[in-house]
Amino acid sequence: MERFEDWLCLKEFKSWSMGTVVYRYPVLGPGRELKWVLERYWRGAIDYEAFREGVLQWLERRTRHLAQYRIDWISATDFFLYDFVLELALSLGIVPKRFLQQTFAHPEDLYFAVARGMHQTPPVDMTKWFNTNYHYLVPELHLGWTEGFPFIVEWARRTSPVLGGRAIGTIVGPLTFLTLSRVYEGKEEGVSFWRSSLAFREAFLREFLARYRRLLTDLAPFVQLFVLEEPVLVLEEVRALEKAYRQVYRQLLGDWSGPPVYVMVYYEVPALSPDWFEQLPIAGWGMDVSSFGGADDSGALVSYLSGFRAGEKGFLAGVVSGRHPFRTDPMRVKRIYERFLDAAIAPEKILWTHSAPLIHLPHTVRNESRIPEEIVSLLAFADERLEELTRVPRWAREGGSLSGQEVEHQVRQEVRERVAQLLEGRVQRSVSFRERYRLQRQRLRLPLLPTTTIGSFPQTSDVRRMRARWRRGEVSDAEYRRFIQEKIRECIRIQEELGLDVLVHGEFERADMVEYFAERLEGMLVTDQGWVQSYGSRAVRPPIIWGDIAWSSPMTVREIAFAQSLTKKPVKGMLTGPVTILQWSFVWEGLSREMIAYQLAVALRREIEVLLQEGISVIQIDEPAFREALPLKRSEWSSYKEWAVRAFRLTHSFVPPTVQIHTHMCYSEFGDIADGVYAMDADVLLIEASRSRGAIIDAFRDYPNALGPGVYDIHSPRIPTYEEIEEVLSRALSVFPVDRLWVNPDCGLKTRQWEEVIPSLRNMVHVAGKWRMRYATPV
């Protein structure tokens, strides 16, 4: 193997001593500037030229903003329009087969069609990026290559002059890209790359590596350094592939003579040893070291570093957090640096960075007025992380103190005692599912293949404007309440006209499924502008959990009880589950995630008690983050599932057998959590299934309770055809009994327009009725 150091100019490299690196800075903007440009283009409000101008103006503003910080190396390639994984796929010429015969006026139109679907062509599958709430689009691999699209190269060409010689190239690494992709070639439909046939792997890998290297070559004139992101290397299962993984890098970089290449592993401690990285033909490698010596240090990092002795390569140290928004302790940085010196890592070989992509943080704490000042002083969003990075080299040598007010976590002893009391009892339903389901169908008078939706209905501009006016005090509480009630009334009328069997109130009073509860629970804080990208142009504002959680008054009862008063059909009480509220919030360092999950469960349990008093007979407890919260290390799965399942059952285990409990999960690898999902014991499990064309249903072949596979994709503006809905339903019926099957969309309808929702649901109800008649089994 050629030595990478043969071409690396160490004298030049020494000038980077204790340098700082930034990559994957948020792209949407503090005011969601990119979001508005994208969505105006999608709905035809601006033409292509105006769209391009808006994108490039925002790109320049973003780049100039980054350039003002005293950061040594800034990524010139981390901007993206919708998803950075899809952008890499298109840059390499990997386009799904069904789009190859389509004609597009502009490359971006193809990009958005693959991401969102078009006419009768469905989009690619979407799922969670590791254990985060960011959704990536799953590349579809086949041997029908096209010419690559120069998205990434264009970003580098436009930003590198602004960065003034500080530009680096950040790209998803080849191992992560391949491992997260699926193969669609011949008889191989949806299998992972490493489980595909040897013939396909060899043929695809040969062309893939040539194209990936060509992309690096095209970027080389614009950057001084490459950082290839390889978070897949934290997964324990990659140990079985370490030889194949090493060979990929040897083939890609064995005789590389361009800018130095680093490999960055984030989210957890790498599953492969430091020696494995030292054997790669790279200039250096890096990892997340931010938890070292902190309250959240499990000891795994200490153990990993204890055997680490530096080789000839550089080290990229993720020392400030890219996942949580709490300020960095300078003394922890100093302890990490001392550990590096113990490992014989020379100072001139250290580059400092953040532990994970900054896209997981909001832009800045500036102008945050909803959070107490003493809490704000202890927060660091993306911009504040940049400021911290400029100080890290000094902190490493000298340490320092964490300035700001001392804030005590609020402890509620009565809450802790209530949690302990409930956990000592029986945390499960007292009647078997089979008997419960029989009683529920009698009470609810449900037909075969009952239809429902997931919860939310379109949050149109008039809803958003009224909510904003109410929050500014421009309309009274009574006026706002009347507005919401009229929206609920209209929503119930539409659902009854469509013929849905179990209705929802539409959630018009909720800006977000987690934030809504955070505003009403003790121990949680919400932000003004703390937007974090979830997928495409969509963003959420994660709350901050800073103390024990407590229920103080009904949160959902008024709207749901009103909706139920308008119809004889059952209306679901809609709640967000304890694990999802936990996972989609920032949890203060030092708080037990398990204990917070139990406290949230007890608060939701109290809400359910009030809903039952109002006669609500169906309650949905959404847990879309149940899979997302699964630890990346397989060895930690059983412990997580045990407390996560217990928290979910704590919310509903006390309800009468005639009350039906639904839950909803989406965009997850369900096979990893099937045992946990079974143990949750919801009466009806509603899952996303349409983007995989129903393939995910096979994971629930043995599910003992009722199942509602999503029959159409709500994240696309397309209206599904009868045939598409029937394809998913038919696949479900081939593996699942008809008397326990439900029919529903993939997810909530909040982001869609009424002109998309009504015909889509009409088609869904029509197909359900058609198949109901086929079975013609009386209830």
Side-chain angles (χ1 to χ4, degrees), residues 285-356:
W285 61 284
M287 58 180 283
D288 172 6
V289 298
S290 62
S291 66
F292 181 82
D296 53 350
D297 188 351
S298 65
L301 179 59
V302 175
S303 176
Y304 188 85
L305 291 178
S306 66
F308 179 35
R309 288 295 178 269
E312 296 300 318
K313 302 188 187 304
F315 191 76
L316 187 57
V319 70
V320 301
S321 178
R323 289 294 297 272
H324 74 65
F326 311 114
R327 288 177 54 190
T328 303
D329 182 353
M331 290 307 298
R332 186 187 299 187
V333 175
K334 187 173 187 294
R335 289 194 294 271
I336 292 171
Y337 181 56
E338 290 169 349
R339 178 65 192 88
F340 289 166
L341 296 180
D342 291 343
I345 303 177
E348 64 267 19
K349 292 186 178 180
I350 297 174
L351 292 175
W352 300 106
T353 188
H354 35 92
S355 68

Side-chain angles (χ1 to χ4, degrees), residues 355-428:
S355 68
L358 292 179
I359 59 171
H360 303 310
L361 294 176
H363 273 268
T364 178
V365 302
R366 291 187 287 272
N367 303 317
E368 285 295 342
S369 61
R370 300 176 73 183
I371 301 177
E373 186 176 341
E374 64 271 20
I375 301 294
V376 170
S377 68
L378 296 177
L379 297 179
F381 292 170
D383 281 355
E384 289 71 34
R385 285 288 184 244
L386 300 184
E387 294 168 0
E388 286 188 338
L389 269 178
T390 65
R391 302 185 185 104
V392 161
R394 187 182 78 246
W395 288 349
R397 296 187 297 267
E398 304 171 8
S401 60
L402 186 61
S403 60
Q405 302 182 46
E406 189 72 25
V407 177
E408 295 275 340
H409 300 147
Q410 187 164 5
V411 176
R412 292 179 170 84
Q413 195 59 39
E414 71 281 4
V415 170
R416 298 188 176 196
E417 291 174 358
R418 179 60 173 156
V419 167
Q421 178 189 30
L422 290 171
L423 289 176
E424 288 178 359
R426 180 184 176 91
V427 188
Q428 64 184 68

Side-chain angles (χ1 to χ4, degrees), residues 520-539:
R520 290 157 176 79
L521 289 169
E522 302 293 334
M524 301 186 73
L525 301 170
V526 295
T527 67
D528 286 307
Q529 299 295 326
W531 298 104
V532 174
Q533 188 173 17
S534 178
Y535 70 93
S537 65
R538 303 298 177 182

Side-chain angles (χ1 to χ4, degrees), residues 444-486:
L444 302 174
R445 302 182 65 81
L446 295 175
L448 204 63
L449 297 173
T451 57
T452 190
T453 62
I454 303 304
S456 60
F457 269 77
Q459 295 248 335
T460 48
S461 58
D462 61 327
V463 175
R464 295 193 298 270
R465 283 196 300 268
M466 178 58 80
R467 184 186 300 120
R469 292 182 62 202
W470 172 65
R471 284 182 167 169
R472 292 195 298 264
E474 296 172 4
V475 298
S476 67
D477 290 350
E479 185 177 355
Y480 180 66
R481 191 175 305 125
R482 285 194 298 271
F483 174 85
I484 294 297
Q485 287 182 342
E486 285 306 309

